[in-house]
Amino acid sequence: MENYKPLKMLPNRVWRIYLGGLLLDKLRGEDGEDGYFPEDWLASVVSANNPPREDTPEREGLSRVETENGTAYLKDLIDADPEGYLGAKHIEALGVNFGVLTKFLDSAERLPIQVHPDKQAAKQLFHSDYGKTEAWYILDGREIGGEAPHILLGFKEDVTKEQLHELFDKQDIAGMAALMHKIPVKKGDVFIIEGGTPHAIGPGCFLLEIQEPTDYTISLEKCNTKGEKLPDFLCHMGIGFDKMFDCFHYTRFSEEALLEKYKLQPQEVERDESHTVTELISYDRTPYFSLRRIDVNGDFTRACTGKPCAYTVTEGSGTVAGIPVQKGECLFIPAKAADFEISGNMAILECLPPKV
C-alpha cells in the first residue's frame, strides 16, 4: 500500500509584469531585491498565463515537490494517483484537480487595475469550470514612495460598461483609479475579492493569496509602469477588447458597504496548550476555498481529514510529519495521509480546496 506523506515544495517563483519580491526573499532569510518574479505559487497545478520569454522555464507555474526518488511535479503525482492525493469524494465533485491555487505575492509597485471572471463569465468566455474569486491575507508591508500599503477595490462611483471602455481606450489610468476605493491595509487583514470585482494591489503589500485555480486576469492597462507596451493578450486573455468588459460587475459601493462585504473578520475556532486555530476564510463565506492559521506552540497530532490541503509556514520553524520546515516553506498534504505530528513554535497557514 502506498505510504502517503506530506510533500515538501521547492521554490516556484513566477514571472509577472510588475516589480516586487524583496519581502518574499526576506521571509526566506535571503538577500534579495525587487524584480519581475514577485510571486511564488504554492502547491500549484496551474500553468502561468505568460507570454513567451527567452528564459521561460518548462511548465512555468507548476509546483515541484521532494520525493523519495528525487523531485516531481505535483500535477504529475496527482494525475498518476488521483484518489490517493485528492480523495474519492473530492474527485467525484471536482474531477482530477486540486481546485485551489495559493501564492505569496509581494508588490513594489501598484499592480494593473484589473478584474477576474466569476464562474459564470469564465464558463461563457473561457470555457472554464473555474473563475477567479480570490482572497488576500496581509502578511506584511512597506512604505514605498511615501505611501503606506493599500489596495484599490470596488467602484465608488456609478459607471457603465461604455464609460469604462472609453476610459480604457484613452488609457486614462488616473480616471479609472478615481472610480475605485483606496483602502489602507495592515498585517493580519483579510479581504475576499469575488470574481467581477475591480481591484488592484497597491505598492508595498506582501500577502498570501488563495484563489480559484486559474490565471485569467483582465487588465485595464496596456503598458507597464515603465511605459512599455504589453502584449494585448495580457489585457484581454484572448477574448478581445470588447468582451473583456463583460467580466466586470458594475456595482457601486459606499466604503462602509464595501468593507462590510469584502473585509473578513477572523474567528478563533480551536485552542489548547499546544496550538490555536483561527479561521481566516470560512466555507460559509465562499465555497471555493478555506484558509486557516494554526499557531503552534508545542506538539500535537494532526488527524487525517480525508481531504487534500497545502501548508505554508509564515513565522518560526518546526517539523511537520518529521519534515523540518521554516518560514517561507510549503507542504502538500495528500488526502490519504495518515495522522501526523506537528511540533515547534511557528505559524502555519492551512489552504483548503473547495467544499465538497
Side-chain angles (χ1 to χ4, degrees):
M1 178 181 292
E2 177 78 32
N3 185 14
Y4 298 96
K5 299 178 180 179
L7 298 168
K8 195 171 187 178
M9 296 286 145
L10 299 178
N12 185 29
R13 298 292 279 264
V14 177
W15 184 90
R16 302 276 85 172
I17 65 171
Y18 66 94
L19 287 169
L22 176 62
L23 294 188
L24 176 50
D25 292 332
K26 287 186 174 181
L27 177 74
R28 291 173 169 163
E30 302 168 359
D31 292 329
E33 60 183 10
D34 292 314
Y36 286 103
F37 290 85
E39 299 181 10
D40 193 299
W41 292 13
L42 313 174
S44 170
V45 295
V46 178
S47 296
N49 226 341
N50 284 331
R53 311 185 309 279
E54 287 185 9
D55 58 348
T56 302
E58 182 183 13
R59 306 178 78 180
E60 185 173 22
L62 298 180
S63 289
R64 290 181 297 149
V65 298
E66 297 177 356
T67 72
E68 294 177 353
N69 300 316
T71 65
Y73 284 98
L74 177 61
K75 186 178 189 306
D76 292 345
L77 295 178
I78 290 173
D79 288 347
D81 184 4
E83 190 166 329
Y85 285 93
L86 300 179
K89 187 177 180 181
H90 180 103
I91 294 167
E92 182 179 356
L94 302 171
V96 182
N97 189 320
F98 183 30
V100 70
L101 174 61
T102 308
K103 307 172 179 177
F104 284 127
L105 186 159
D106 175 42
S107 59
E109 58 187 5
R110 180 180 58 74
L111 275 64
I113 299 171
Q114 60 190 249
V115 77
H116 309 301
D118 62 17
K119 198 171 282 287
Q120 181 179 358
K123 176 69 77 174
Q124 292 176 346
L125 298 172
F126 296 99
H127 311 291
S128 171
D129 291 332
Y130 293 97
K132 197 186 172 192
T133 287
E134 62 189 30
W136 305 330
Y137 176 56
I138 308 298
L139 299 172
D140 204 350
R142 49 180 163 150
E143 187 176 291
I144 293 180
E147 281 197 295
H150 63 272
I151 59 176
L152 300 180
L153 184 62
F155 289 129
K156 66 180 181 181
E157 307 288 348
D158 289 319
V159 59
T160 65
K161 182 188 300 186
E162 292 72 24
Q163 289 169 332
L164 189 61
H165 203 320
E166 183 178 353
L167 289 168
F168 170 75
D169 289 341
K170 294 177 180 177
Q171 280 299 279
D172 183 354
I173 308 302
M176 290 187 284
L179 297 172
M180 303 172 68
H181 290 280
K182 183 177 180 179
I183 307 295
V185 300
K186 65 183 185 306
K187 182 177 180 179
D189 285 349
V190 185
F191 295 87
I192 187 165
I193 296 83
E194 295 173 341
T197 306
H199 62 275
I201 296 171
C205 296
F206 180 37
L207 54 89
L208 180 121
E209 177 177 290
I210 184 168
Q211 59 163 88
E212 291 184 84
T214 72
D215 195 26
Y216 300 131
T217 298
I218 300 300
S219 173
L220 291 178
E221 302 185 35
K222 294 183 177 182
C223 297
N224 63 17
T225 52
K226 294 180 179 180
E228 298 167 338
K229 177 75 167 60
L230 299 170
D232 290 347
F233 175 82
L234 290 180
C235 287
H236 58 60
M237 296 276 107
I239 62 175
F241 286 125
D242 289 329
K243 286 187 177 181
M244 66 185 254
F245 290 93
D246 293 339
C247 291
F248 287 85
H249 292 177
Y250 296 90
T251 306
R252 177 182 178 273
F253 288 97
S254 68
E255 183 172 317
E256 181 181 14
L258 181 87
L259 294 178
E260 177 70 23
K261 183 175 178 63
Y262 293 125
K263 187 175 183 182
L264 307 185
Q265 304 302 318
Q267 299 291 326
E268 185 178 302
V269 294
E270 184 180 324
R271 175 185 286 271
D272 65 21
E273 60 184 15
S274 65
H275 71 289
T276 302
V277 179
T278 303
E279 195 160 54
L280 304 176
I281 305 163
S282 72
Y283 284 132
D284 289 338
R285 179 58 183 84
T286 177
Y288 299 145
F289 43 73
S290 177
L291 183 66
R292 292 182 166 196
R293 174 179 167 127
I294 306 171
D295 288 286
V296 182
N297 185 29
D299 310 288
F300 72 100
T301 300
R302 193 268 196 183
C304 175
T305 64
K307 64 174 64 176
C309 69
Y311 280 3
T312 184
V313 180
T314 57
E315 298 175 19
S317 62
T319 61
V320 175
I323 302 170
V325 290
Q326 59 187 355
K327 61 182 182 179
E329 294 187 324
C330 180
L331 300 165
F332 179 81
I333 316 297
K336 287 191 175 181
D339 297 353
F340 56 84
E341 298 298 311
I342 297 177
S343 178
N345 193 313
M346 57 184 168
I348 295 172
L349 296 181
E350 181 182 63
C351 313
L352 293 162
K355 182 179 181 180
V356 296

